[in-house]
């Protein structure tokens, strides 16, 4: 019995080392399904990831979940040590921040719906900028006249803002307090439950000629 248990742990430890290697080598978060083929036959990738998460919980780097994917990230309490090494990025404009917030909370949403909430037109470059940053993606096309494109957030959005899932998004008052939403937005603005899963019944797949780098929304 002891020999059997020892053999089981040896296999488990090897699989844990494989997961570590894959996660450290990857520039992007990985899902359990992506890593499972590298493990031994019958290995439970989800259980192994949970064990690895516990092992790194008190270390300088933590294993964190971003949507259905996993990645190693600097422990939150040590983040200040690396800030001076970070490349200074151009801050997003107020319009881009508001657009990103509305997409995050109202997804799937169209450009016209974003403009209705903001009360002003959304420039063509704003959505392009957010898609180039990898935070926003085109989901599909709404089953309404004109078949406007619907937008949603990405796993990269969750990763950048340190969110495990959309349910971790802050409340409306926190959002306003952080400056992400301006006072120009309606005071009675309601935040629905965001949806980032498969296409809904009111969405069709994107057309073959749709591309991520173009504004293809047909709404007036």
């Amino acid at each position: 019995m002891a020999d059997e248990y020892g053999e089981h742990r040896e296999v488990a430890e090897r699989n844990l080392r494989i997961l570590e290697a894959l996660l450290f080598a990857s520039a992007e978060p990985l899902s359990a399904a992506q890593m499972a083929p590298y493990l031994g036959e019958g290995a439970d990738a989800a259980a192994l990831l949970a064990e690895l998460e516990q092992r790194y919980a008190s270390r300088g780097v933590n294993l964190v979940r971003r949507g259905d994917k996993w990645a190693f990230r600097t422990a939150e309490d040590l983040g200040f040590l690396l800030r001076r090494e970070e490349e200074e990025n151009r801050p997003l404009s107020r319009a881009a921040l508001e657009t990103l917030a509305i997409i995050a909370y109202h997804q799937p949403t169209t450009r016209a719906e974003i403009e209705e909430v903001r009360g002003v037109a959304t420039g063509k470059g704003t959505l392009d900028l957010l898609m180039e940053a990898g935070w926003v993606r085109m989901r599909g096309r709404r089953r309404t006249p004109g078949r406007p494109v619907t937008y949603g957030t990405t796993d990269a959005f969750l990763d950048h803002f340190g969110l495990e899932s959309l349910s971790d998004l802050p409340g409306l008052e926190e959002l306003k307090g952080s400056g992400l939403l301006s006072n120009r937005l309606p005071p009675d603005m309601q935040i629905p439950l965001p949806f980032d899963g498969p296409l809904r019944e009111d969405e069709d797949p994107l057309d073959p000629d749709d591309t991520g780098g173009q504004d293809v929304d047909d709404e007036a």
Side-chain angles (χ1 to χ4, degrees), residues 6-204:
E7 182 178 348
H8 174 76
R9 283 311 307 171
E10 183 178 346
V11 172
E13 289 297 330
R14 172 176 169 76
N15 284 329
L16 287 169
R17 292 182 64 221
I18 291 173
L19 291 176
E20 284 180 308
L22 291 171
L23 289 163
F24 271 117
S26 177
E28 303 292 337
L30 298 173
S31 67
Q34 288 175 299
M35 293 181 280
Y38 297 92
L39 304 177
E41 184 177 354
D44 186 341
L48 288 166
L49 285 164
E51 181 174 345
L52 202 59
E53 180 184 23
Q54 289 299 316
R55 289 193 181 189
Y56 278 87
S58 60
R59 298 187 183 180
V61 292
N62 300 149
L63 181 60
V64 298
R65 189 168 184 170
R66 298 293 182 253
D68 64 345
K69 297 182 178 180
W70 297 81
F72 281 116
R73 293 291 180 261
T74 303
E76 289 188 9
D77 62 321
L78 298 178
F80 71 94
L81 294 173
L82 303 180
R83 284 176 192 152
R84 58 189 173 189
E85 304 296 335
E86 292 178 353
E87 179 180 355
E88 183 175 352
N89 295 318
R90 181 182 176 185
L92 290 177
S93 67
R94 172 64 60 130
L97 285 172
E98 290 182 356
T99 300
L100 178 61
I102 292 168
I103 291 173
Y105 282 89
H106 287 257
Q107 62 185 301
T109 187
T110 66
R111 188 175 66 187
E113 291 166 348
I114 295 169
E115 293 173 347
E116 181 179 358
V117 174
R118 293 189 65 227
V120 295
T122 299
K124 176 184 182 299
T126 300
L127 286 167
D128 289 343
L129 176 66
L130 294 174
M131 287 191 288
E132 288 172 5
W135 296 344
V136 166
R137 66 185 177 94
M138 295 189 297
R139 288 174 45 87
R141 286 185 175 273
R142 185 69 54 77
R143 292 182 181 176
T144 56
R147 300 183 65 245
V149 167
T150 56
Y151 296 92
T153 54
T154 65
D155 287 340
F157 166 81
L158 297 177
D159 191 26
H160 182 83
F161 291 97
L163 305 172
E164 182 173 321
S165 66
L166 290 177
S167 62
D168 295 326
L169 285 168
L172 181 58
E173 293 307 316
E174 294 177 79
L175 207 59
K176 288 181 177 178
S178 68
L180 193 54
L181 291 182
S182 71
N183 293 329
R184 183 173 63 243
L185 296 179
D188 59 346
M189 171 183 170
Q190 298 295 313
I191 294 182
L193 182 66
F195 178 82
D196 63 348
L199 294 178
R200 303 192 314 186
E201 291 183 358
D202 62 348
E203 293 177 286
D204 286 322

